[in-house]
Amino acid sequence: MPDPGASDANNAGAPETDRSATSASIVEHNPLALEEILRSIFQLAEPPSLAVAARVCQRWSGIALDELWRSLPSIYPLLTLLVPRKWIQDATKYHKDILDSLVKADWDRFKGYAARIRFVNADYNGEVNLPLDSVALVQTFHGPSPLLPNVKTISWSFFQNKNFMNIIPFIGPQLENLDLEMEEGINNPEQAQLVQSLTRRTPNLRSLGLTSFNKVQHIGTPLTALISSSPKLVRLKLPTFFLTKEVVAAAANLPFLRKLLYSAWPEAQNIYQESGMCFEFTPESFPQLETLAFAALPTRMAEVLDATDHVGRLRWVYLDCPAYYSSQDIETVFAKLAAGGKCLHTVQLMCCAVRPLAGSSSHDSLSIDTIRPLFSCTRLGTFLLWAPHFVPLDEEDVVEMGKNWPLMHSLTLCPTPISKKDQGTGFNILAAFAKSLPHLRILRLFFNKEIPIFDGDLYPVSQFTRLERLRVGWSPVPKGKAQEIGFLLASLCQRPPLIDHGTTENDRGNDITEEQKTTLAAGWFDVKAAVNLAFRVKSSFTCKYGRMMESNAELEQEAS
């Protein structure tokens, strides 16, 4: 194979026409010398293959290194071009060694690699954090410009980390996407200082995500300033109870904001604060909003959703009701949402209490009547309802859902009820879902102890055509009936679905004991084994049936 790099060097002094002819000849005989083709190939390659490709020739090297360094799982690979990692992690002990190394460092090489980086996902959960002292020394020798001049996306997780400011030298005005996860161990003043330091540093920011265990009053003012100084924001993701009046006012004026989301925690009571539930629409606010997530009590939630002009532009809505409720309150919320949201694609409502309201001691059970107002949203493709109680479904309920939601592909109806009384629907309801909603990809339900009935037919007329996941929460498996449940599931599916059991990230307050969990997990393990066995039977029958049909076809052909 000709060496394109050598050819370029040999023709360095040739006339322009000769060099053009030479380049054309190279491309004609060696298509892999064409940069666009190489980039397309290297984008699909794994890091070890890229490292090998970078050693082939000069032309390949630059393109392969661009792809190899485009995305980093940590910032250490870059810093170790200057200083050993051991020294970086203990700047106090190795201070003099770091200084000597930085004096002698090849800074052109460092800057060349740093310029290639576009994405950084720095998760220091479980490993030694990046000391601020080390980063400060590197910044001192590097100069005032950002250490990553072309980075577009940074995702940075701070875990029990006092070196919260270590991210600042890597951030510059070119940054477009920033996600910060500040877990326990970051105190309130430190969070405020970090957010304040970002203000006016990121004028081209298009996406900002913030996850925090702390309460909004500690960082509300600098957060408002950061949002106001980021006029190009398209996506804003904040902790559930961070929407104060000031934060909402700043976000409402963003001309391009399309997604307002929340980063929910199962331990939401840690940051619960009613002053952070102040979302509202005003006549000129949120002109481009398509995705909305906010927390509010049901009556306030209904008032917000009464703004039909704004709701009419929404496609994805995620609601969080953090206190006790009545079924009528939730039905009103859905009625207000449906009145304006005829183009809705996704609706999620979490109505699992973070803390009780005064005088409340229990939840109403939700039912098909509660969600019926949303049946007018015929474009709905995803509906997720997380609540402690839901009245068992019957076949007519499922038929009604299928009739009104023909595009539904992901359905969640309270898969983990918080109750001591018997809840859930019988396993045989799955046949009704396969008939009325055959295109479901994800189904989350809670099943009761009713004994399933399997008639032995592994190929019923109605089957799920695309079911990929069945989420059952902590549904009980009737004793000795795991095989019937497994064969029933297999008969209703064209391919084995992934069966998930147990607690989900959206469960709040489920008090099931560890002993109960162990028993239920064992039951569902047996169900999964039965599903796999049933599909082996189906596969064997399909193969035998196929061979029989081929044999019959051959006999018919011979007879004719």
Side-chain angles (χ1 to χ4, degrees), residues 87-108:
W87 296 1
I88 296 173
Q89 292 177 341
D90 193 348
T92 302
K93 180 178 180 180
Y94 296 101
H95 183 83
K96 185 177 185 303
D97 296 309
I98 293 175
L99 289 176
D100 292 341
S101 182
L102 292 177
V103 169
K104 302 173 183 177
D106 186 345
W107 285 98
D108 289 338

Short mmCIF file of all heavy atoms in Angstrom, two decimals, residues 87-108:
data_model
loop_
_atom_site.label_atom_id
_atom_site.label_comp_id
_atom_site.label_asym_id
_atom_site.label_seq_id
_atom_site.Cartn_x
_atom_site.Cartn_y
_atom_site.Cartn_z
N TRP A 87 1.12 11.39 41.25
CA TRP A 87 1.47 12.72 41.74
C TRP A 87 0.25 13.63 41.75
O TRP A 87 0.04 14.41 42.68
CB TRP A 87 2.55 13.35 40.86
CG TRP A 87 3.86 12.62 40.87
CD1 TRP A 87 4.17 11.47 41.56
CD2 TRP A 87 5.04 12.98 40.15
NE1 TRP A 87 5.44 11.09 41.33
CE2 TRP A 87 6.02 12.00 40.45
CE3 TRP A 87 5.36 14.00 39.27
CZ2 TRP A 87 7.30 12.04 39.91
CZ3 TRP A 87 6.64 14.06 38.72
CH2 TRP A 87 7.60 13.07 39.03
N ILE A 88 -0.57 13.52 40.70
CA ILE A 88 -1.75 14.38 40.60
C ILE A 88 -2.67 14.16 41.79
O ILE A 88 -3.23 15.11 42.35
CB ILE A 88 -2.52 14.08 39.28
CG1 ILE A 88 -1.64 14.44 38.08
CG2 ILE A 88 -3.83 14.85 39.24
CD1 ILE A 88 -2.25 14.02 36.75
N GLN A 89 -2.82 12.91 42.22
CA GLN A 89 -3.77 12.59 43.28
C GLN A 89 -3.25 12.97 44.67
O GLN A 89 -4.02 12.92 45.63
CB GLN A 89 -4.10 11.10 43.23
CG GLN A 89 -4.90 10.72 41.99
CD GLN A 89 -5.18 9.23 41.90
OE1 GLN A 89 -4.51 8.43 42.55
NE2 GLN A 89 -6.16 8.87 41.09
N ASP A 90 -2.00 13.33 44.77
CA ASP A 90 -1.45 13.77 46.06
C ASP A 90 -0.52 14.96 45.82
O ASP A 90 0.70 14.86 45.90
CB ASP A 90 -0.70 12.62 46.74
CG ASP A 90 -0.38 12.92 48.21
OD1 ASP A 90 -0.54 14.09 48.62
OD2 ASP A 90 0.04 11.99 48.92
N ALA A 91 -1.14 16.09 45.50
CA ALA A 91 -0.37 17.27 45.13
C ALA A 91 0.47 17.80 46.28
O ALA A 91 1.52 18.42 46.06
CB ALA A 91 -1.32 18.37 44.64
N THR A 92 0.03 17.58 47.50
CA THR A 92 0.79 18.07 48.66
C THR A 92 2.12 17.32 48.78
O THR A 92 3.19 17.93 48.96
CB THR A 92 -0.02 17.88 49.94
OG1 THR A 92 -1.26 18.58 49.82
CG2 THR A 92 0.75 18.42 51.14
N LYS A 93 2.09 16.03 48.67
CA LYS A 93 3.30 15.22 48.81
C LYS A 93 4.26 15.42 47.65
O LYS A 93 5.49 15.46 47.83
CB LYS A 93 2.90 13.75 48.94
CG LYS A 93 4.08 12.80 49.09
CD LYS A 93 3.59 11.36 49.26
CE LYS A 93 4.77 10.40 49.42
NZ LYS A 93 4.31 9.00 49.57
N TYR A 94 3.71 15.53 46.44
CA TYR A 94 4.55 15.57 45.24
C TYR A 94 4.60 16.97 44.62
O TYR A 94 4.81 17.11 43.41
CB TYR A 94 4.04 14.58 44.21
CG TYR A 94 4.12 13.14 44.65
CD1 TYR A 94 2.98 12.48 45.13
CD2 TYR A 94 5.32 12.44 44.61
CE1 TYR A 94 3.04 11.16 45.54
CE2 TYR A 94 5.39 11.12 45.02
CZ TYR A 94 4.25 10.48 45.49
OH TYR A 94 4.32 9.17 45.90
N HIS A 95 4.40 17.99 45.43
CA HIS A 95 4.33 19.36 44.91
C HIS A 95 5.58 19.72 44.09
O HIS A 95 5.46 20.21 42.96
CB HIS A 95 4.15 20.34 46.07
CG HIS A 95 3.99 21.76 45.62
ND1 HIS A 95 2.80 22.29 45.20
CD2 HIS A 95 4.91 22.79 45.52
CE1 HIS A 95 2.97 23.55 44.86
NE2 HIS A 95 4.24 23.88 45.05
N LYS A 96 6.76 19.49 44.63
CA LYS A 96 8.00 19.86 43.93
C LYS A 96 8.17 19.03 42.65
O LYS A 96 8.58 19.56 41.61
CB LYS A 96 9.20 19.66 44.84
CG LYS A 96 10.53 20.12 44.23
CD LYS A 96 11.68 19.96 45.22
CE LYS A 96 12.97 20.53 44.64
NZ LYS A 96 13.31 19.90 43.34
N ASP A 97 7.82 17.74 42.72
CA ASP A 97 7.93 16.89 41.53
C ASP A 97 7.00 17.37 40.42
O ASP A 97 7.36 17.36 39.24
CB ASP A 97 7.60 15.44 41.89
CG ASP A 97 8.60 14.86 42.89
OD1 ASP A 97 9.80 14.97 42.64
OD2 ASP A 97 8.15 14.31 43.91
N ILE A 98 5.80 17.79 40.81
CA ILE A 98 4.85 18.29 39.82
C ILE A 98 5.39 19.55 39.16
O ILE A 98 5.33 19.70 37.93
CB ILE A 98 3.48 18.56 40.48
CG1 ILE A 98 2.84 17.25 40.93
CG2 ILE A 98 2.55 19.29 39.52
CD1 ILE A 98 1.54 17.43 41.70
N LEU A 99 5.95 20.45 39.96
CA LEU A 99 6.50 21.69 39.40
C LEU A 99 7.62 21.39 38.41
O LEU A 99 7.66 21.96 37.31
CB LEU A 99 7.02 22.60 40.52
CG LEU A 99 5.96 23.26 41.42
CD1 LEU A 99 6.63 24.05 42.54
CD2 LEU A 99 5.08 24.19 40.58
N ASP A 100 8.53 20.52 38.79
CA ASP A 100 9.64 20.17 37.89
C ASP A 100 9.12 19.55 36.60
O ASP A 100 9.62 19.84 35.51
CB ASP A 100 10.59 19.19 38.60
CG ASP A 100 11.34 19.83 39.77
OD1 ASP A 100 11.39 21.07 39.80
OD2 ASP A 100 11.84 19.08 40.64
N SER A 101 8.14 18.69 36.72
CA SER A 101 7.58 18.02 35.54
C SER A 101 6.88 19.01 34.62
O SER A 101 7.01 18.94 33.38
CB SER A 101 6.61 16.93 35.98
OG SER A 101 6.09 16.23 34.86
N LEU A 102 6.17 19.97 35.19
CA LEU A 102 5.44 20.96 34.38
C LEU A 102 6.41 21.91 33.67
O LEU A 102 6.13 22.38 32.56
CB LEU A 102 4.47 21.75 35.26
CG LEU A 102 3.28 20.96 35.82
CD1 LEU A 102 2.45 21.84 36.74
CD2 LEU A 102 2.41 20.42 34.68
N VAL A 103 7.53 22.20 34.31
CA VAL A 103 8.54 23.05 33.67
C VAL A 103 9.09 22.39 32.41
O VAL A 103 9.31 23.03 31.38
CB VAL A 103 9.67 23.37 34.66
CG1 VAL A 103 10.85 24.03 33.94
CG2 VAL A 103 9.17 24.28 35.78
N LYS A 104 9.31 21.08 32.47
CA LYS A 104 9.91 20.34 31.36
C LYS A 104 8.88 19.77 30.38
O LYS A 104 9.25 19.15 29.39
CB LYS A 104 10.75 19.19 31.90
CG LYS A 104 11.85 19.63 32.87
CD LYS A 104 12.53 18.43 33.50
CE LYS A 104 13.58 18.85 34.51
NZ LYS A 104 14.22 17.67 35.19
N ALA A 105 7.60 19.97 30.64
CA ALA A 105 6.55 19.32 29.86
C ALA A 105 6.51 19.81 28.42
O ALA A 105 6.89 20.94 28.12
CB ALA A 105 5.19 19.55 30.52
N ASP A 106 6.05 18.94 27.54
CA ASP A 106 5.83 19.28 26.13
C ASP A 106 4.42 19.87 26.01
O ASP A 106 3.44 19.17 25.76
CB ASP A 106 5.97 18.03 25.27
CG ASP A 106 5.90 18.36 23.78
OD1 ASP A 106 5.47 19.48 23.43
OD2 ASP A 106 6.24 17.47 22.96
N TRP A 107 4.32 21.18 26.17
CA TRP A 107 3.01 21.83 26.20
C TRP A 107 2.35 21.85 24.82
O TRP A 107 1.11 21.85 24.73
CB TRP A 107 3.14 23.24 26.76
CG TRP A 107 3.34 23.21 28.24
CD1 TRP A 107 4.51 23.31 28.92
CD2 TRP A 107 2.31 23.04 29.22
NE1 TRP A 107 4.30 23.20 30.27
CE2 TRP A 107 2.95 23.04 30.48
CE3 TRP A 107 0.94 22.87 29.16
CZ2 TRP A 107 2.24 22.89 31.68
CZ3 TRP A 107 0.23 22.71 30.35
CH2 TRP A 107 0.88 22.72 31.58
N ASP A 108 3.13 21.88 23.77
CA ASP A 108 2.52 21.81 22.43
C ASP A 108 1.80 20.48 22.24
O ASP A 108 0.71 20.43 21.66
CB ASP A 108 3.59 22.00 21.35
CG ASP A 108 4.13 23.42 21.29
OD1 ASP A 108 3.40 24.32 21.76
OD2 ASP A 108 5.24 23.61 20.79
#
